[in-house]
Amino acid sequence: MPRFRQILDTMAPYKPGKAVAAPDGRSYKLSSNESPYGPLPSVIEAIAEGARQIHRYPDAGAIKLTEAIAERFDVPFGHIALGAGSVTVAQQLFETVGEPGVEVVYAWRSFEAYPLLADLAGVKSVLVPLVEEKHDLDAMAEAITDDTRMVFVCNPNNPTGTAVRRRELEAFLDRVPERVLVVLDEAYHEYVRDADVPDGLTFYRDRPNVGVLRTFSKAYGLAGLRVGYLIAQEPVAAAVRKTIIPFAVNHLAQVAAIASLKAEDELLERVERVVKERTRVREALIAQGWTIPPTEANFVWLRLGERTLDFAAACAEQGVAVRPFAGEGARVSIGSPEANDAFLSVAKAFPR
């Protein structure tokens, strides 16, 4: 038999959110944090027009998209690195710093791809437990050693939805050595409504060791096309660009992302609807007797412990797919009002 890397024998592959169906055919997928809304007409039109060129390779440098992002966020062109979704840009980041003996620090539980990406890059994960579903930034700062090259701060955090606020983040960044790269993973930034939760771009501009990770998958509704990006100062962005697989961001993804930026006001109206539903769902759960942490993302988190898989099964029986983390809890995306009501019915009937 061919020989493979030993890490492949022990690492668990990433498990995407699943869809389920009730006996009557009802199916509500609240397991993947997707937008409940389809692409805008202008975006569909751009994709249809772009399909005329799919016999050609995409622009490997994604020049027009990079220019559009640079203009939107008022950052230099050279401060942007693209990838096929923010998870792929995260993989590029791990590969950028990864060497034997290197450590990467992040909270746990947080985005479940981090351990997988760390293992593939051959680096050691240093997991710092959450405290009351939130990042423990003091403990994360103390976990940094001479071998640490990167720290991830998922803000808002996936899967708990909790967010780090400005003062505590600034104090944390002041403690991190300049040689350590801090990545602010802001995949859910557009859903933040707490004025004390900072925009990571306000920190990166005068901190050369800070980068901000964003995506078009969530609020922009392009999960099926895969576009993510990093904004960081030139040395960081340039290093990350070296790790991208050629032509990773396909042509249709590029034109759709550009069209989405042009239609951003209309898209953000949809985001506001999701935020309102998020408030309704959380308040309904609290009224039912659940303890639900404040969330600044497009999902809610239920700490269920050993009952997690039973809860997921109860949801599945009613055609509601949620994202269970065995022994810990379930993350439930905010979907359409109908889907949310179906979930709330299951939650009401489930023993607290």
Side-chain angles (χ1 to χ4, degrees):
M1 290 292 292
R3 297 180 65 184
F4 304 110
R5 294 175 60 191
Q6 292 182 357
I7 191 65
L8 299 181
D9 294 331
T10 58
M11 58 181 275
Y14 179 82
K15 296 180 180 179
K18 297 179 180 180
V20 298
D24 62 3
R26 289 183 301 158
S27 180
Y28 304 106
K29 190 183 178 196
L30 303 181
S31 56
S32 295
N33 297 343
E34 299 156 332
S35 170
Y37 303 106
L40 293 171
S42 60
V43 176
I44 294 176
E45 184 177 345
I47 293 172
E49 180 62 28
R52 300 177 185 275
Q53 287 84 44
I54 60 172
H55 62 300
R56 305 291 186 189
Y57 283 105
D59 174 9
I63 303 300
K64 291 182 179 179
L65 175 55
T66 303
E67 289 175 341
I69 294 171
E71 180 180 357
R72 165 63 182 83
F73 296 105
D74 190 25
V75 300
F77 181 95
H79 287 200
I80 299 167
L82 291 167
S86 62
V87 66
T88 302
V89 185
Q91 181 181 22
Q92 294 169 229
L93 283 157
F94 275 94
E95 292 175 353
T96 300
V97 304
E99 288 178 336
V102 166
E103 296 178 350
V104 175
V105 176
Y106 51 89
W108 197 251
R109 173 170 291 275
S110 191
F111 182 33
E112 64 186 288
Y114 294 157
L116 170 64
L117 301 180
D119 287 348
L120 289 174
V123 304
K124 178 184 177 182
S125 290
V126 178
L127 281 62
V128 179
L130 299 174
V131 174
E132 296 180 351
E133 315 293 10
K134 300 178 182 178
H135 280 65
D136 185 346
L137 292 183
D138 286 337
M140 290 177 68
E142 292 169 2
I144 294 172
T145 70
D146 291 340
D147 294 325
T148 305
R149 287 201 186 167
M150 186 165 64
V151 178
F152 265 81
V153 178
C154 191
N155 199 35
N157 186 48
N158 177 12
T160 61
T162 54
V164 173
R165 294 189 168 186
R166 180 176 290 101
R167 184 175 298 178
E168 56 184 324
L169 181 57
E170 187 168 18
F172 169 73
L173 294 175
D174 287 342
R175 294 181 61 184
V176 177
E178 292 182 0
R179 60 176 174 78
V180 175
L181 175 62
V182 179
V183 179
L184 305 178
D185 188 346
E186 297 185 343
Y188 302 94
H189 172 74
E190 292 83 4
Y191 298 100
V192 172
R193 291 298 179 271
D194 184 341
D196 286 334
V197 176
D199 180 336
L201 296 180
T202 62
F203 291 108
Y204 113 92
R205 297 180 189 275
D206 58 1
R207 293 179 186 263
N209 67 327
V210 173
V212 180
L213 197 55
R214 299 270 178 91
T215 182
F216 283 90
S217 294
K218 311 302 182 184
Y220 290 86
L222 299 183
L225 286 177
R226 316 305 302 126
V227 192
Y229 58 96
L230 174 79
I231 296 179
Q233 293 196 21
E234 176 66 28
V236 176
V240 174
R241 285 196 295 269
K242 290 180 180 180
T243 66
I244 190 172
I245 296 173
F247 309 112
V249 183
N250 72 67
H251 177 63
L252 295 183
Q254 292 183 38
V255 298
I258 293 170
S260 294
L261 287 172
K262 291 179 180 178
E264 192 172 49
D265 288 345
E266 191 174 356
L267 278 167
L268 293 181
E269 289 179 7
R270 294 179 167 189
V271 171
E272 193 59 39
R273 289 181 227 162
V274 173
V275 170
K276 290 179 179 179
E277 274 294 286
R278 177 184 75 191
T279 300
R280 182 179 76 88
V281 169
R282 180 171 181 264
E283 290 178 350
L285 289 168
I286 291 172
Q288 291 176 6
W290 293 96
T291 298
I292 308 296
T295 174
E296 294 296 327
N298 67 335
F299 51 83
V300 293
W301 171 252
L302 287 75
R303 175 64 68 176
L304 291 150
E306 296 304 318
R307 300 176 300 154
T308 298
L309 297 184
D310 290 338
F311 180 80
C315 289
E317 289 176 0
Q318 300 302 317
V320 179
V322 301
R323 189 61 174 271
F325 298 90
E328 299 180 64
R331 187 196 69 198
V332 185
S333 308
I334 301 301
S336 66
E338 179 184 359
N340 298 333
D341 286 341
F343 159 66
L344 288 171
S345 294
V346 179
K348 184 177 182 179
F350 193 83
R352 250 76 73 212

